[in-house]
Amino acid sequence: MKKIYATIISFLVILSSCNCAMAVRMKKATAENILQMQSYSYDTNNVELVTKSVVATLQDSDFIIEDMDMSLGYIRARKTFKARYTNKKRVLGWSAVLVAAGAYTAFSYGAAAYSMYSPSRRVMAEMKDKTIVVDANVFIDRIDKNKVQVRFLPVEKILQNADGFSFVTSAPVRVIRIYDSKVYNEFFSQVEQNMRL
């Protein structure tokens, strides 16, 4: 029995060290590079036109505008959709817990069968489609006589789906700050196209 517990603990330590390595890789982008990627300046003095174009771009991308303050140059929007996201580490971790619970049940001649319920539900929940929420904050500001700057800050949240028994629908499994320059370039070019319409 001690060997099973030692194996599970060492397995969990290995999983947590993998997450730390990913966090170190994400920190390599400097704050200045991230700020440049998230910001774009348009050669115009018409803040209202830029704001309308940003709103149109967000709505074209299936975002719902939740809050908007023209005086502060602030827009908050949200998009929700379902997608397949299987975190292999979590599936592996809960599978290991399920195997340990199965071994414990076998050693107790079935008396501990209840211990297999929660891990099996969690493995099934990990295999289902997840609800993805993308929250976007946009800041619009005149920085010069003929320049308006837009800063776009999207954050993706992968939510744990409720299984009808024990899991909370809105509990985020993972929160991802988007650092892909392609996402920002597409957004800013779409805003520019909407300004020409």
Side-chain angles (χ1 to χ4, degrees):
M1 196 62 139
K2 288 181 181 178
K3 287 183 180 180
I4 293 172
Y5 287 129
T7 305
I8 291 171
I9 289 170
S10 61
F11 182 73
L12 292 174
V13 167
I14 291 168
L15 283 180
S16 65
S17 66
C18 293
N19 287 337
C20 293
M22 264 186 76
V24 169
R25 267 186 269 140
M26 289 296 286
K27 287 182 183 177
K28 285 184 181 176
T30 64
E32 188 178 337
N33 291 343
I34 292 167
L35 184 63
Q36 286 175 353
M37 186 173 35
Q38 294 172 339
S39 304
Y40 189 81
S41 297
Y42 296 97
D43 294 326
T44 182
N45 61 358
N46 193 342
V47 176
E48 189 177 334
L49 174 65
V50 175
T51 304
K52 285 180 181 177
S53 300
V54 167
V55 169
T57 302
L58 288 168
Q59 289 176 334
D60 290 345
S61 302
D62 297 327
F63 280 90
I64 296 170
I65 307 299
E66 294 192 329
D67 191 17
M68 186 170 165
D69 191 333
M70 291 285 283
S71 62
L72 294 174
Y74 171 72
I75 301 168
R76 182 167 51 93
R78 174 172 278 195
K79 174 167 66 171
T80 305
F81 59 95
K82 291 268 191 183
R84 174 69 60 173
Y85 174 79
T86 305
N87 187 332
K88 293 176 183 175
K89 290 179 185 175
R90 286 174 63 91
V91 171
L92 199 59
W94 284 114
S95 297
V97 172
L98 183 60
V99 168
Y104 181 55
T105 301
F107 288 128
S108 67
Y109 299 103
Y114 64 88
S115 65
M116 295 178 65
Y117 176 75
S118 180
S120 63
R121 297 297 295 175
R122 289 182 184 270
V123 169
M124 286 191 300
E126 285 296 327
M127 303 304 279
K128 292 180 184 174
D129 285 353
K130 302 289 186 291
T131 302
I132 312 292
V133 174
V134 181
D135 286 325
N137 292 306
V138 184
F139 300 93
I140 303 162
D141 190 23
R142 182 182 284 127
I143 57 169
D144 200 356
K145 210 175 205 180
N146 293 317
K147 279 197 183 292
V148 175
Q149 186 180 57
V150 175
R151 187 165 182 216
F152 178 53
L153 303 165
V155 176
E156 187 175 286
K157 297 172 188 171
I158 300 166
L159 305 184
Q160 175 67 56
N161 293 344
D163 64 356
F165 295 92
S166 59
F167 304 137
V168 181
T169 310
S170 60
V173 172
R174 190 169 180 201
V175 177
I176 305 164
R177 298 208 177 270
I178 300 170
Y179 296 122
D180 186 3
S181 59
K182 186 180 175 186
V183 172
Y184 297 100
N185 292 338
E186 285 177 7
F187 178 79
F188 294 131
S189 63
Q190 188 63 45
V191 169
E192 196 160 6
Q193 285 177 18
N194 284 332
M195 284 169 64
R196 293 186 194 131
L197 296 177

